[in-house]
Amino acid sequence: MPITAINVRNQFRGKVLEVIQGPVVSEVDIETAGGQVVTSVITTRSVQELGLVPGKDVIALVKSTDVSIATL
């Protein structure tokens, strides 16, 4: 079921692969059903409040105002 109460159209179901906690911010790696990995940097407090641990089912909500591109 998509989350419709917020204005985020890009939603990816997945499982938490890894959580690297820092004192203020943490990195959360999420593997989508298609095998892609999405990494989020969120506050460590949010990680704890959401109970994010490896194996937990989650939805990655992606909203961006710009995309940067570099040449190879």
Side-chain angles (χ1 to χ4, degrees), residues 4 8-9 13-14 18-21 23 26-28 69 72:
T4 57
V8 178
R9 296 180 187 265
R13 288 185 173 273
E18 182 179 19
V19 179
I20 302 171
Q21 288 196 19
S26 297
E27 292 181 39
V28 181
I69 298 174
L72 299 176

Side-chain angles (χ1 to χ4, degrees), residues 24-35:
V24 179
V25 295
S26 297
E27 292 181 39
V28 181
D29 291 337
I30 299 162
E31 184 175 21
T32 67

Side-chain angles (χ1 to χ4, degrees), residues 35-50:
Q36 301 294 324
V37 176
V38 177
T39 301
S40 176
V41 177
I42 63 174
T43 65
T44 299
R45 176 182 285 177
S46 293
V47 167
Q48 295 164 349
E49 289 176 358
L50 292 168

Side-chain angles (χ1 to χ4, degrees), residues 49-71:
E49 289 176 358
L50 292 168
L52 299 179
V53 294
K56 183 170 181 94
D57 290 322
V58 295
I59 299 175
L61 306 167
V62 180
K63 185 171 184 174
S64 177
T65 57
D66 62 72
V67 175
S68 299
I69 298 174
T71 58

